């Protein structure tokens, strides 16, 4: 079928992802190609010391994003979007959305960016001898209990953002194993076909006196864990109206398990097999390497252990900050030009492309410049809060090429600090693929290869990222239901059906850029004392 017929017959597949700065919807065809899209731009806010998004904006963003998709479909194909073959919801992982028995939100959404759960994270990690990061839902849940917060006694359900939206659409309290592994440690069944929250850890958690006092059971408070490919409910009439207030969307559409942005990043980069890895780089950045065996040690706050959408263990280095700070700088440069040239027609995208590519002309030592992109805390390098910072020596070569390169390099500084641990452990990585805005230029790909010390590839779909990966997982679930594909065959499905003919651009580590990054990284690690002083005094 051509795309118009495919959409009219209800055979396109929908993926929606709530990212840090944009909510994006992607519709794909039978060849897994994006054929329409919609988006909504937003930004988290600091409310009484908590990084959050208002619940009203979450709802508004979802509906606006979907309305944009409908408009795109109408303009491109002249048809209405009233149904699709399958759908799926993804969102930034972790965080804390707590609801009472009547589905009332008890406290503002606490996002992954919050580093206010140090006590809970430390205690749980020590008790389990397993890393439970500050941003995980379990840490937020336990910290609220330790803080004796008034809302705790009313808690009926705790969700991630993806799990909450999925519940609103389908009425099902379920979560894909990848996203669930960012709520609480999970354990795969002996046959590898199912997973659940680690029962030994759950029993220890529930036995803690302060938890036991409330009678909490993880199985009832947290969503049920599902594997990629499993059925996860269908769009209810209320859910269809919630997603599309015009009433044009039909109910009964099957949805796959909701996933986190880590899982959709793996799907979007064909990185679910052992020894493969992927990097998602946008407002935040994380790298993921699928492990063939457990790590020798536990590295709380630096290396997380999560899973692929089909349950394989993954070493994850997650950093709260990536391109957010240099986005501010590019917008500033555009404002300067717009002030001088009021009728300036150059697009924002053109500024990014030209300025980032200009960085390839930088001096090997970045002119002696130094920057930190810490809009928020950065656990990997030991910061509970951050201060964006730019510094230089008095004899620095301060020009745009050096400035932009140091901004691109600092976006990867904390990531490299975490990856060094995996390198020291001898973790094998045969390939790494990238997704997200950082990879939209040739320069970004070259810099990532230098920082990761291996060949890094970006597929032609790299800019699509999470929502496209979510649509792929939804298509996989639909095919599973129709043809009986087994969960363990997700890697084969991706290899053969999705990425068999996908165009890929690769960058090997280049000597000059590698040397440049190493000079910068040494300065970056030494300069953390400057960042510390900024946090303490600014």
């Amino acid at each position: 079928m051509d795309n118009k017929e495919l959409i009219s017959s209800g055979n396109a597949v929908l993926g929606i992802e709530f990212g840090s700065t944009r909510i994006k919807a992607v519709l794909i065809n039978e060849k897994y190609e994006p054929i329409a899209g919609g988006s909504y731009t937003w930004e988290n806010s600091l409310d009484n010391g908590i990084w959050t998004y208002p619940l009203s904006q979450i709802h508004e963003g979802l509906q606006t994003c979907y309305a944009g998709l409908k408009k795109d479909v109408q303009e491109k194909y002249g048809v209405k979007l009233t149904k699709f073959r399958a759908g799926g919801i993804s969102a930034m992982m972790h965080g804390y959305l707590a609801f009472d028995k009547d589905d009332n939100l008890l406290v503002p959404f606490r996002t992954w960016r919050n580093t206010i759960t140090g006590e809970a994270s430390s205690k749980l990690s020590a008790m389990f001898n397993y890393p439970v990061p500050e941003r995980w839902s379990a840490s937020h849940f336990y910290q609220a209990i330790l803080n004796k917060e008034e809302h705790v006694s009313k808690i009926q359900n705790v969700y991630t953002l993806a799990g909450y939206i999925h519940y609103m659409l389908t009425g099902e309290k379920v979560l894909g194993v990848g996203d669930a592994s960012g709520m609480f440690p999970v354990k795969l069944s002996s046959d590898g076909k199912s997973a659940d929250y680690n029962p030994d850890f759950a029993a220890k958690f529930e036995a803690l006196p302060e938890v036991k006092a409330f009678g909490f059971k993880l199985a009832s408070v947290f969503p049920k864990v599902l594997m990629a490919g499993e059925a996860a409910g269908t769009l209810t009439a209320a859910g269809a109206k919630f997603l599309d207030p015009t009433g044009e969307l039909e109910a009964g559409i099957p949805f796959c398990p909701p996933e986190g942005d880590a899982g959709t990043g793996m799907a979007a980069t064909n990185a679910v097999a052992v020894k493969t890895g992927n990097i998602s780089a946008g407002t935040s950045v994380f790298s993921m390497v699928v492990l063939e065996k457990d790590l020798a040690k536990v590295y709380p706050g630096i290396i997380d252990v999560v899973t692929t959408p089909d349950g394989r263990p993954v070493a994850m280095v997650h950093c709260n900050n990536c391109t957010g700070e240099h986005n501010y700088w590019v917008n500033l440069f555009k404002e300067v030009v717009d002030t001088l040239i009021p009728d300036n027609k150059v697009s924002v995208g053109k500024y990014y492309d030209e300025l980032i590519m200009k960085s390839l002309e930088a001096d090997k030592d970045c002119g002696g410049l130094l920057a930190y992109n810490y809009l928020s805390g950065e656990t990997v390098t030991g910061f509970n809060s951050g201060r964006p910072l730019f510094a230089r020596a008095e004899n620095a070569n301060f020009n745009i090429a050096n400035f932009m390169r140091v901004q691109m390099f600092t976006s990867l500084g904390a990531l490299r600090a975490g990856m060094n641990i995996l390198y020291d452990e001898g973790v094998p990585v045969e390939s790494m693929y990238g997704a997200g805005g950082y990879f939209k230029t040739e320069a970004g790909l070259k810099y990532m290869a230098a920082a990761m010390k291996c060949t890094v590839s970006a597929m032609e779909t790299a800019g699509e990222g999470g929502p496209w990966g979510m649509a792929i997982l939804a298509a996989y679930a639909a095919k599973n239901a129709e043809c009986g594909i087994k969960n363990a065959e997700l890697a084969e499905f991706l290899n053969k059906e999705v990425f068999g003919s996908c165009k890929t651009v690769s960058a090997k580590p280049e000597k000059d850029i590698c040397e440049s990054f190493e000079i910068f990284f040494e300065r970056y690690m030494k300069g953390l004392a400057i960042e510390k002083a900024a946090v303490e005094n600014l």
Side-chain angles (χ1 to χ4, degrees), residues 21-38:
T21 57
R22 279 206 301 169
I23 303 170
K24 295 170 63 179
V26 169
L27 206 64
I28 64 172
N29 61 18
E30 294 171 308
K31 296 179 181 179
Y32 310 101
E33 299 167 335
I35 56 175

Side-chain angles (χ1 to χ4, degrees), residues 139-152:
S139 295
H140 282 280
F141 183 33
Y142 187 39
Q143 191 67 56
I145 294 171
L146 291 174
N147 292 347
K148 299 180 180 179
E149 296 186 37
E150 186 272 336
H151 79 275
V152 171

Side-chain angles (χ1 to χ4, degrees), residues 87-312:
I89 300 295
S90 174
M92 56 192 104
M93 286 178 68
H94 322 304
Y96 181 73
L97 280 156
F99 291 84
D100 66 13
K101 61 182 178 59
D102 298 316
D103 290 335
N104 295 308
L105 183 66
L106 294 171
V107 290
F109 172 33
R110 298 173 181 177
T111 76
W112 55 271
R113 175 164 272 175
N114 291 287
T115 52
I116 56 175
T117 61
E119 181 185 3
S121 171
S122 178
K123 286 184 174 180
L124 293 178
S125 297
M127 182 169 67
F128 300 153
N129 191 31
Y130 187 97
V132 180
E134 293 176 348
R135 64 186 173 276
W136 278 22
S137 306
S139 295
H140 282 280
F141 183 33
Y142 187 39
Q143 191 67 56
I145 294 171
L146 291 174
N147 292 347
K148 299 180 180 179
E149 296 186 37
E150 186 272 336
H151 79 275
V152 171
S153 63
K154 303 174 185 177
I155 291 176
Q156 184 73 25
N157 294 292
V158 173
Y159 301 102
T160 62
L161 181 53
Y164 165 67
I165 295 297
H166 183 87
Y167 169 67
M168 292 296 291
L169 297 178
T170 68
E172 298 289 337
K173 300 175 182 179
V174 298
L175 201 60
V177 63
D179 203 5
S181 69
M183 292 193 80
F184 193 89
V186 300
K187 186 175 182 179
L188 205 60
S189 63
S190 58
D191 64 2
K193 304 298 183 184
S194 63
D196 203 351
Y197 303 111
N198 186 302
D200 295 332
F201 294 176
K204 289 181 178 180
F205 179 79
E206 291 164 0
L208 288 167
E210 56 271 32
V211 176
K212 191 174 182 180
F214 291 99
F216 287 129
K217 299 294 181 183
L218 282 182
S220 61
V221 176
F222 284 3
K224 180 182 177 181
V225 182
L226 296 178
M227 302 284 277
E230 290 192 89
T234 58
L235 188 67
T236 64
K241 189 74 172 178
F242 176 60
L243 182 58
D244 183 10
T246 68
E248 294 177 345
L249 181 61
E250 298 178 11
I253 297 166
F255 269 65
C256 69
E259 264 298 348
D261 50 2
T264 58
M266 285 184 269
T269 53
N270 193 22
V272 301
V274 171
K275 298 182 183 180
T276 63
N278 80 296
I279 305 157
S280 177
T283 306
S284 63
V285 61
F286 55 80
S287 63
M288 311 191 72
V289 178
V290 186
L291 301 173
E292 59 179 354
K293 63 179 181 178
D294 293 336
L295 297 176
K297 292 173 60 181
V298 174
Y299 303 95
I302 302 176
I303 307 293
D304 301 352
V305 179
V306 291
T307 77
T308 63
D310 56 348
R312 292 185 175 92

Side-chain angles (χ1 to χ4, degrees), residues 3-70:
N3 291 335
K4 180 178 179 178
E5 183 182 357
L6 189 83
I7 295 169
S8 297
S9 63
N11 282 298
V13 175
L14 174 70
I16 297 176
E17 181 160 284
F18 287 71
S20 301
T21 57
R22 279 206 301 169
I23 303 170
K24 295 170 63 179
V26 169
L27 206 64
I28 64 172
N29 61 18
E30 294 171 308
K31 296 179 181 179
Y32 310 101
E33 299 167 335
I35 56 175
S39 67
Y40 175 84
T41 300
W42 66 348
E43 184 58 75
N44 56 187
S45 57
L46 192 61
D47 183 9
N48 291 320
I50 302 294
W51 288 104
T52 188
Y53 299 86
L55 194 64
S56 59
Q57 192 178 19
I58 293 172
H59 295 178
E60 175 190 335
L62 174 67
Q63 293 167 357
T64 303
C65 174
Y66 186 77
L69 174 68
K70 288 180 60 179

